[in-house]
Amino acid sequence: MRAQLEEARLELAVLREEAIGLRAGLEQLRSQSDDQEPAAAEVSKEHSELLQQAARVSSVDLLCHRDVWEFITAQAGRHQHFRVPPQVIAEGDERIRAAVSGRSLIALLISLHAVGHTARDGDGDQELAATLYKRIQDRLAGLAAHGQPVTITLDDRSSPTSDGASTDGVPGSTEEQVAGPPAADGDGSNDQQKSDGTSPS
């Protein structure tokens, strides 16, 4: 437990240093001339409506890999409405969680839209931007004045195998163990053993 806490502290310290570096980099980007700004893409009615949806949001929790977060800040960092969140929280597995304001979300959508329409095919930027844009668009659909805060998750996972076979840590493995035959000794300790993290005999 102590080792896990220490690892989390180290990861948090790294994220804080990265956030400081990102803020400095964003200020430098904003000071550059207008001719270095990304090329503007044609604004469709659908895109404008999506920006209006983003404007209605106080903030969203963005859960993604640290590399994706770096791509996001690199693309949206030059926009006047983007602000780096004060806290970027480590979620494990190289993932981070950042509370992005509605204003910053507008900047992100504008930047992703521009990259998706101006980047070269096959270089990865266009595909990544389009995927992020679509995921945000899907999560902002059907917003209401009341309800739970919006979380945008960029962390798709593989599904368990259809026959129920799975390895430790894969969803569905616990269900298969519970449905299996009781322990050979029949002392009823099967459930207790599993709760301790050991395999039944």
Side-chain angles (χ1 to χ4, degrees):
M1 182 66 178
R2 182 174 298 176
Q4 292 175 341
L5 288 174
E6 185 63 25
E7 183 180 352
R9 289 192 186 100
L10 290 174
E11 191 170 356
L12 182 58
V14 171
L15 287 171
R16 285 174 176 166
E17 291 180 4
E18 289 180 354
I20 293 173
L22 284 172
R23 288 192 181 95
L26 292 179
E27 291 301 322
Q28 183 178 1
L29 287 171
R30 289 183 181 129
S31 66
Q32 293 177 352
S33 59
D34 291 339
D35 59 355
Q36 294 177 320
E37 295 282 329
E42 182 178 350
V43 178
S44 64
K45 180 180 179 182
E46 182 183 34
H47 178 63
S48 180
E49 290 175 349
L50 181 59
L51 296 183
Q52 292 179 38
Q53 286 179 306
R56 294 162 48 197
V57 178
S58 172
S59 67
V60 300
D61 278 347
L62 184 60
L63 178 64
C64 63
H65 192 277
R66 289 167 62 177
D67 289 349
V68 176
W69 176 245
E70 182 180 349
F71 175 81
I72 287 172
T73 54
Q75 299 304 323
R78 287 174 284 185
H79 198 281
Q80 60 179 342
H81 290 311
F82 188 78
R83 299 291 183 272
V84 176
Q87 283 189 323
V88 178
I89 303 171
E91 288 285 322
D93 295 332
E94 294 294 316
R95 299 174 305 164
I96 62 93
R97 181 182 296 271
V100 180
S101 69
R103 180 183 179 186
S104 290
L105 192 60
I106 288 174
L108 175 56
L109 287 168
I110 291 172
S111 301
L112 293 176
H113 182 262
V115 172
H117 286 78
T118 59
R120 293 179 299 176
D121 292 339
D123 68 356
D125 286 353
Q126 185 182 74
E127 291 77 8
L128 185 53
T131 300
L132 294 173
Y133 186 95
K134 183 65 166 58
R135 183 59 57 91
I136 296 171
Q137 184 179 41
D138 292 344
R139 287 297 290 126
L140 293 184
L143 294 179
H146 304 284
Q148 298 299 319
V150 177
T151 298
I152 299 172
T153 303
L154 304 168
D155 187 23
D156 290 354
R157 302 292 181 99
S158 61
S159 300
T161 56
S162 58
D163 60 1
S166 57
T167 59
D168 292 342
V170 176
S173 59
T174 302
E175 181 178 348
E176 277 300 304
Q177 291 176 356
V178 172
D185 58 10
D187 62 358
S189 62
N190 189 30
D191 292 340
Q192 179 62 37
Q193 288 177 331
K194 283 183 291 186
S195 66
D196 292 340
T198 59
S199 301
S201 58

